[in-house]
Amino acid sequence: MRSDYDAIIIGTGINSLACAVHLGAKGWRVGVFEQAQTPGGAVKTLELTEPGFRHDWAAMNLSLFAGSGFFKAYGDDLAARGLEFAPASHCFASVFEDGKWFGVSTGPGETRARIAAFSEADAKAWDKLCGEFPGTAEHVFALLGSPMQMHVQGKVFLKALYRKGFAWTADLVRLLLSSPRKFLTETFESDHVRATLAAWGMHLDFAPDMAGGAVFPYLESMANQHFGMVIGKGGADTVTRALISKIESSGGEVHCGRRVAKVLRSDGKASGIALEDGAEIEASRAVIANVAPAGLMKLLEGKSGDGAFDDKMRAFEHAPGTMMIHLALDGLPDWAAGEELKTFAYVHIAPSLNQMARTYQQARAGLLPDQPVLVVGQPTVVDPSRAPEGKHVLWVQVRMVPGEIAGDAAGEISETDWNAVRDLYAERALDIIESHAPGFKSKIRSRAVISPLDLEADNPNLVGGDQVAGSHHLSQNFLFRPALGHATGKTPVDRLHLTGASVWPGAGTGAGSGYMLAQKLGGK
């Protein structure tokens, strides 16, 4: 291990690794330090249940990465280093208590026909959205893929005004500010269609009535309809392994099991890091921290030198937590609503807008929701290599749950310690799946239940199990992520930069904040 680098990056999340790849390509010597024994942050794959059953620890969907500017620049090299995607044409679906289901697929007319079975008016609304999407996507992706600086974003909006006119641009702004319920109830009349699309808002801390959440159900539904979905062949860690190979080929190093205790400063500038074991490592050009704001303050021992900045970092708000249930199965769930559901990458159990809103409020109040939203990932439908022949893995994300338990909305669980609650609450989630797929529980070979606090212990950025590393509500998004004046990762400490999901453009596997920071530091 070197004793000094041009840049030191704290954490091996996807933004860290993308940043290291680009800086390495620009000739920087980069060292990446990770507290966990396995690199990747939320993007890693482990044999959590039995040998031969590979489970994505947290992130499964790699579509954002495959569509990112970073992948456009480095995708060919990463593919040569083993990165491989498994595409899904049947992307996501929802099941309902009346025995019906709805799903989005890429096949010609498939999705429209399913919508028309609920409402011909909704099918026409879907046609309209699909027809307008290419023109809309150009400007939305430009917004989400650009640094959050006034002059840069101003050019994005001026371009939209010039090409599309004031009324169209105003409608785009309205979409960006609307809640999922507002957008979906204005666009569709079927409760089934509305609920299926609204479930995507829950992935990113947007319950149906949260302003600013409409754009996520819109983008996910349109992107999946037009492009499909991809997951990692063999596991999401195909990305992590390829990125690390690229970093090492440029002379960089990745060190796991090395917890960073603090950022070193000299003459008011970040000069390196001190590890928990006492070792000190120098960085001549930059220290880059892929940490949540609270984690940054710990690295700075509580003071950056700018009290206003410190207050903003301490006030940064996290979303409710999640719980993961990883299952090794003898067979896929037999979904009562339809055999075709076995072909989908994701099946949501989120029956209505009102149920999602109630679940979110219960979790925010510290209660275990009586009916959590379930994201049931079926990765072996898309990529059979993740399990022995004829067997399957199931990836179940339980949204939302509190990091600190104040009680149980159902009045059934009296314990408030996640160590005691973990398996009890997993049974509630599994019973919900069983109600939609009778006999499902009898197919479970083994399981691993990961509580919100387990997620945080592995990755301190996931405070209270918050898998999006901070709420994306309007007061903490765009110019305000993580705080006004710091959306580019700038900190008051010279040569110290913040990156990761807590920085614009936020959560997901798109590597946006890491790549944009690397371009800022090392050049495009």
Side-chain angles (χ1 to χ4, degrees):
M1 181 177 71
R2 294 192 183 99
S3 60
D4 66 288
Y5 299 90
D6 290 317
I8 288 173
I9 301 178
I10 303 169
T12 56
I14 199 164
N15 283 289
S16 296
L17 299 180
C19 186
V21 164
H22 188 70
L23 291 178
K26 296 299 178 180
W28 289 43
R29 301 188 315 277
V30 182
V32 187
F33 291 81
E34 166 64 49
Q35 67 143 14
Q37 296 296 330
T38 303
V43 185
K44 57 190 174 189
T45 308
L46 305 168
E47 292 187 342
L48 294 167
T49 54
E50 301 178 34
F53 290 83
R54 290 178 53 77
H55 304 270
D56 288 342
W57 173 254
M60 184 178 108
N61 183 354
L62 299 179
S63 299
L64 283 176
F65 185 80
S68 68
F70 176 81
F71 183 75
K72 183 177 180 181
Y74 290 100
D76 289 344
D77 196 351
L78 295 175
R81 297 176 185 280
L83 171 61
E84 190 173 359
F85 295 127
S89 58
H90 298 298
C91 305
F92 67 93
S94 283
V95 292
F96 300 98
E97 292 170 355
D98 61 3
K100 296 180 180 180
W101 70 277
F102 168 61
V104 172
S105 303
T106 60
E110 279 185 286
T111 305
R112 189 198 191 282
R114 294 181 192 130
I115 296 176
F118 293 108
S119 164
E120 179 59 32
D122 284 356
K124 291 177 179 176
W126 184 262
D127 291 340
K128 185 174 184 291
L129 288 176
C130 289
E132 295 172 346
F133 178 65
T136 303
E138 175 188 357
H139 299 282
V140 174
F141 289 141
L143 171 72
L144 300 178
S146 298
M148 189 45 66
Q149 297 171 291
M150 290 298 292
H151 69 282
V152 175
Q153 295 295 334
K155 289 179 181 178
V156 172
F157 279 104
L158 285 173
K159 185 177 180 180
L161 278 168
Y162 177 76
R163 290 191 175 183
K164 297 288 190 176
F166 177 80
W168 186 94
T169 305
D171 283 342
L172 175 60
V173 173
R174 186 170 184 266
L175 173 66
L176 295 172
L177 298 178
S178 291
S179 70
R181 189 190 296 268
K182 182 69 173 175
F183 164 64
L184 293 168
T185 55
E186 286 183 347
T187 307
F188 301 105
E189 62 183 20
S190 165
D191 289 336
H192 296 80
V193 174
R194 291 171 179 172
T196 301
L197 305 187
W200 280 108
M202 297 292 282
H203 284 249
L204 215 60
D205 189 37
F206 281 106
D209 299 298
M210 295 296 177
V215 68
F216 300 104
Y218 168 75
L219 286 179
E220 284 290 347
S221 59
M222 289 292 101
N224 279 278
Q225 169 69 88
H226 285 77
F227 311 124
M229 180 184 290
V230 298
I231 65 174
K233 184 69 175 295
D237 66 344
T238 181
V239 167
T240 301
R241 288 184 279 105
L243 289 169
I244 291 175
S245 173
K246 175 64 176 173
I247 291 166
E248 292 174 343
S249 74
S250 300
E253 297 178 342
V254 177
H255 305 281
C256 291
R258 308 300 301 274
R259 184 188 295 270
V260 177
K262 68 178 180 178
V263 171
L264 301 174
R265 285 178 270 189
S266 177
D267 298 324
K269 300 178 180 179
S271 59
I273 58 172
L275 299 177
E276 193 174 53
D277 62 12
E280 295 187 354
I281 316 294
E282 295 181 359
S284 61
R285 302 173 77 173
V287 175
I288 299 165
N290 183 349
V291 298
L296 179 68
M297 296 313 301
K298 289 180 182 177
L299 293 174
L300 293 174
E301 299 181 305
K303 293 183 179 180
S304 69
D306 181 333
F309 173 82
D310 298 348
D311 289 343
K312 291 174 183 176
M313 295 299 99
R314 295 189 188 101
F316 187 82
E317 186 176 8
H318 282 270
T322 54
M323 186 173 82
M324 298 299 305
I325 306 174
H326 298 287
L327 303 174
L329 300 178
D330 283 324
L332 289 170
D334 293 311
W335 299 101
E339 185 73 10
E340 194 175 350
L341 286 163
K342 288 184 176 182
T343 65
F344 280 82
Y346 286 106
V347 177
H348 289 110
I349 305 179
S352 70
L353 298 180
N354 290 340
Q355 179 264 328
M356 284 181 258
R358 186 182 76 247
T359 293
Y360 184 83
Q361 289 303 322
Q362 288 172 344
R364 291 287 293 179
L367 300 177
L368 296 166
D370 56 354
Q371 190 179 6
V373 168
L374 301 183
V375 186
V376 183
Q378 302 181 128
T380 38
V381 166
V382 182
D383 173 24
S385 71
R386 294 177 179 223
E389 185 175 357
K391 308 300 179 183
H392 293 273
V393 299
L394 216 63
W395 178 100
V396 182
Q397 191 176 63
V398 184
R399 289 188 175 270
M400 305 283 192
V401 294
E404 295 184 5
I405 304 169
D408 178 16
E412 298 170 349
I413 298 174
S414 59
E415 290 84 355
T416 57
D417 182 342
W418 268 112
N419 289 325
V421 169
R422 182 194 295 115
D423 289 312
L424 295 172
Y425 200 66
E427 285 302 317
R428 181 174 299 174
L430 296 178
D431 284 344
I432 292 173
I433 301 176
E434 176 80 17
S435 71
H436 290 277
F440 155 72
K441 293 177 73 174
S442 68
K443 297 184 178 185
I444 299 173
R445 297 169 54 92
S446 54
R447 73 186 194 186
V449 182
I450 313 299
S451 79
L453 300 190
D454 295 331
L455 289 169
E456 182 178 356
D458 177 78
N459 183 347
N461 292 352
L462 309 185
V463 176
D466 166 20
Q467 288 201 35
V468 295
S471 170
H472 287 70
H473 296 172
L474 287 175
S475 61
Q476 202 169 269
N477 205 4
F478 300 103
L479 289 168
F480 304 99
R481 189 165 191 88
L484 185 63
H486 302 282
T488 62
K490 177 184 177 182
T491 78
V493 180
D494 192 20
R495 296 184 184 174
L496 174 63
H497 309 272
L498 190 61
T499 192
S502 298
V503 179
W504 171 261
T509 58
S513 68
Y515 185 41
M516 285 190 278
L517 178 60
Q519 290 178 308
K520 175 184 173 182
L521 297 177
K524 295 185 178 183

